Amino acid sequence: MKNLYISAAEYDYHTLLKVAEMAGLAGIVGFHEAGDSYLVSFPDGENTDALINDYKSRLKDLENNIWMH
């Protein structure tokens, strides 16, 4: 498993879930509270790094779309 830490001050749990759904990762990644952050766990595989990068990119795109409108 590879993990991604995301600050709870920047994103809420529901946003993280929505982005997982948009990326086709619902049910594939795991979400856990980790102090003041969330831990997003991705399964090991050949494309794990690509999945993490795609997830982070979609999260940033969603943030940009919210603030642009």
Side-chain angles (χ1 to χ4, degrees):
M1 272 247 163
K2 286 198 174 183
N3 298 314
L4 175 64
Y5 287 93
I6 299 177
S7 170
E10 293 183 51
Y11 299 103
D12 67 11
Y13 181 77
H14 292 92
T15 300
L16 299 178
L17 284 177
K18 184 64 176 174
V19 170
E21 289 174 5
M22 292 168 36
L25 297 171
I28 296 172
V29 297
F31 298 93
H32 315 279
E33 288 186 32
D36 291 340
S37 299
Y38 292 105
L39 176 66
V40 184
S41 300
F42 293 80
D44 280 331
E46 291 180 14
N47 63 343
T48 302
D49 290 331
L51 289 175
I52 291 171
N53 290 334
D54 182 52
Y55 184 84
K56 290 191 304 188
S57 175
R58 288 174 186 263
L59 192 58
K60 187 56 96 177
D61 287 347
L62 181 63
E63 177 184 345
N64 289 338
N65 285 335
I66 290 170
W67 294 112
M68 296 295 278
H69 297 284

